């Protein structure tokens, strides 16, 4: 099939409906029945993407840029890194295992730095200067899902994630700061114009990046610690969902996941109560983050 989800359709509810055949080695044959990619600020600036080939299906989440270095003239670093990862997944051999994938995708990103003449000593010392992405990859041959970074998946209704170890604590700091400000008369709308809570946590958020590819994994052109990559056996599974972390409550169907997100944004657009985050939904945006979702079902399984 070798088909990529078009980057020009990131805001569509239905992007493409390939009849994805997976399941080598006695596993299930899968069909992609739902998928979407929606940018929080529209399609052109979206840093989430997806790819489906005969051998792999993946969602990719480019990381929000914190760097002073721009690696591509027309894309943010997160969007560019997402694109590099997508393109690499579309080319890797079918029998590639998780360790080999992590090594090869790291070489792809590192080669971009080297071609651009980027100061590698700076990138080594300051991880926030690197471009980065996370991904959830389904391998047909291996009958596995690989979580490299903080994407998520749901296998037969069971959620698997791989969160950054410090993000929950940092989100709690932002929540406490904003809730205090609200109690003193500030309005929700004030923080949707300018997120002072994000400003408050930004030094801590940046400092936590020094543990990148040490205590948590990410694709950034530096060696990925395999013990921080989550590998899930999906042999015999009836339904697989892959998603980025733009869905704070991942559910077995796209409609249910979208409905849960809509409730979250209506009740708590700043993301400071039930689902705390390091950023909220700004004025004029569609959500607090970009989001991408793919659902596959085994041949003969219910699509409900």
């Amino acid at each position: 099939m070798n088909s990529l989800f078009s980057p020009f359709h990131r805001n569509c509810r239905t992007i493409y409906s390939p009849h994805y055949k997976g399941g080598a080695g006695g596993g299930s044959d899968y069909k992609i029945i739902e998928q979407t990619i929606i940018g929080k600020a529209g399609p052109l600036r979206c840093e989430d993407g997806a790819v489906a080939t005969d051998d792999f299906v993946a969602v990719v989440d480019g990381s929000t840029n914190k760097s002073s270095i721009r690696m591509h003239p027309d894309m943010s670093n997160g969007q560019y890194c997402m694109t590099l990862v997508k393109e690499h997944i579309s080319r890797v051999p079918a029998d590639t295992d998780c360790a080999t994938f992590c090594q090869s995708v790291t070489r792809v990103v590192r080669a971009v730095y080297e071609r651009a003449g980027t100061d590698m000593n700076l990138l080594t010392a300051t991880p926030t200067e690197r471009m980065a992405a996370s991904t959830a990859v389904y391998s047909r041959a291996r009958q596995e899902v690989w979580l490299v970074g903080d994407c998520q998946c749901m296998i037969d209704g069971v959620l698997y994630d791989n969160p950054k170890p410090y993000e929950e604590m940092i989100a709690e700091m932002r929540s406490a700061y904003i809730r205090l400000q609200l109690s003193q008369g500030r309005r929700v709308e004030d923080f949707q114009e300018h997120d002072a809570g994000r400003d408050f946590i930004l030094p801590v958020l940046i400092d936590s990046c020094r543990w990148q590819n040490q205590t948590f994994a990410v694709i950034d052109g530096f060696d990925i610690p395999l013990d921080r990559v989550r590998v899930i056996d999906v042999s015999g599974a009836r339904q697989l969902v892959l998603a980025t972390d733009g869905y704070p409550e991942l559910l077995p169907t796209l409609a249910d996941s979208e409905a849960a997100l809509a409730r979250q944004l209506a009740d708590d657009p700043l993301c400071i109560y039930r689902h705390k985050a390091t950023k909220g939904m700004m004025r004029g945006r569609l959500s607090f983050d970009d989001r991408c979702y793919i659902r596959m079902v085994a041949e003969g399984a219910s699509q409900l």
Side-chain angles (χ1 to χ4, degrees):
M1 181 168 58
N2 293 323
S3 59
L4 293 177
F5 293 165
S6 168
F8 302 108
H9 294 167
R10 288 193 189 105
N11 250 26
C12 295
R13 291 287 169 170
T14 301
I15 306 157
Y16 182 56
S17 297
H19 190 273
Y20 176 78
K21 287 286 190 177
S28 299
D29 285 343
Y30 291 102
K31 178 170 65 174
I32 294 176
I33 62 167
E34 292 188 307
Q35 68 273 273
T36 195
I37 308 174
I38 301 175
K40 65 179 180 291
L44 296 181
R45 294 166 60 187
C46 184
E47 295 177 328
D48 283 9
V51 58
T53 75
D54 287 337
D55 304 302
F56 299 96
V57 177
V59 298
V60 187
D61 182 357
S63 299
T64 301
N65 185 44
K66 303 177 186 69
S67 173
S68 58
I69 302 169
R70 192 178 183 111
M71 299 304 303
H72 192 282
D74 301 319
M75 290 187 275
S76 69
N77 285 355
Q79 192 177 56
Y80 186 33
C81 195
M82 174 271 290
T83 302
L84 291 171
V85 174
K86 277 194 346 178
E87 291 175 348
H88 181 66
I89 292 170
S90 74
R91 295 190 301 264
V92 294
D95 63 349
T96 298
D97 62 17
C98 182
T100 303
F101 168 73
C102 288
Q103 293 161 3
S104 62
V105 77
T106 293
R107 288 194 296 270
V108 166
V109 177
R110 194 174 187 92
V112 171
Y113 298 146
E114 292 170 348
R115 287 196 300 270
T118 310
D119 184 347
M120 297 305 293
N121 290 328
L122 173 64
L123 298 185
T124 300
T126 315
T128 49
E129 295 298 321
R130 308 171 194 166
M131 57 182 175
S134 299
T135 188
V137 182
Y138 166 71
S139 164
R140 171 188 179 183
R142 300 283 170 179
Q143 285 293 283
E144 294 173 340
V145 170
W146 311 328
L147 300 182
V148 187
D150 58 1
C151 288
Q152 54 186 332
C153 68
M154 181 167 278
I155 313 299
D156 288 339
V158 178
L159 176 66
Y160 298 85
D161 62 6
N162 195 25
K164 296 183 179 74
Y166 314 109
E167 190 138 322
E168 183 177 351
M169 177 192 71
I170 297 171
E172 183 61 55
M173 289 174 57
R174 174 179 170 273
S175 169
Y177 176 86
I178 294 176
R179 285 186 285 115
L180 176 62
Q181 295 295 312
L182 293 174
S183 73
Q184 296 175 346
R186 297 288 300 279
R187 303 174 306 148
V188 168
E189 292 79 9
D190 296 336
F191 290 92
Q192 291 188 288
E193 289 289 342
H194 177 81
D195 191 344
R198 177 80 175 182
D199 295 343
F200 178 72
I201 63 167
L202 193 57
V204 181
L205 197 60
I206 290 173
D207 184 65
S208 72
C209 292
R210 64 193 172 103
W211 302 108
Q212 198 164 297
N213 278 333
Q214 295 185 55
T215 61
F216 63 93
V218 71
I219 299 167
D220 67 355
F222 287 74
D223 290 343
I224 296 170
L226 296 179
D227 63 339
R228 303 298 177 178
V229 175
R230 193 163 187 182
V231 178
I232 302 117
D233 182 359
V234 299
S235 301
R238 305 299 286 167
Q239 177 170 279
L240 313 179
V241 175
L242 308 177
T244 59
D245 63 355
Y247 288 97
E249 185 175 359
L250 186 62
L251 294 167
T253 70
L254 177 59
D256 287 345
S257 298
E258 285 287 329
L261 176 62
R263 288 192 297 271
Q264 160 77 14
L265 297 175
D267 296 342
D268 180 22
L270 299 182
C271 303
I272 58 172
Y273 294 112
R274 183 181 173 198
H275 295 294
K276 300 180 180 70
T278 58
K279 54 191 172 184
M281 183 172 69
M282 304 302 289
R283 186 176 66 84
R285 299 282 177 90
L286 300 175
S287 185
F288 73 100
D289 202 358
D290 303 328
R291 61 194 188 270
C292 180
Y293 181 107
I294 298 175
R295 177 160 72 112
M296 300 181 287
V297 297
E299 290 292 342
S302 171
Q303 297 186 15
L304 298 179

